[in-house]
Amino acid sequence: MAKKYAPFEYINEENFKRLLGVFRKEPPQVIALVISYLKPELVRMVYAELPPEIQTKVAAESGALRQATE
């Protein structure tokens, strides 16, 4: 049986810093979408690295994203 593809499954603690570099140029909507595919421990790491005002916006977008997919 073939393994199911999961977006961003290649992101791990080793290449995490590169992802953060990309996030500096992206709006909160994009960050929320990407982190919706990450493992919970990586999501916590993302939030820890974001400035507080961006954390709030990403959290709001994540909530909106969840509501849209339910």
Side-chain angles (χ1 to χ4, degrees), residues 2-58:
K3 182 180 175 186
K4 186 176 178 182
Y5 172 75
F8 306 105
E9 69 181 7
Y10 58 89
I11 300 295
N12 56 38
E13 289 185 29
E14 293 173 11
N15 58 17
F16 177 74
K17 290 292 182 187
R18 262 192 262 162
L19 179 64
L20 288 177
V22 171
F23 281 170
R24 287 188 182 92
K25 302 173 190 168
E26 298 297 336
Q29 298 90 338
V30 172
I31 298 171
L33 179 62
V34 171
I35 67 172
S36 73
Y37 290 102
L38 297 179
K39 296 176 184 171
E41 60 270 12
L42 292 175
V43 174
R44 284 190 293 275
M45 291 170 62
V46 168
Y47 274 107
E49 295 291 330
L50 294 174
E53 64 277 2
I54 301 298
Q55 288 177 6
T56 303
K57 291 177 183 177
V58 171

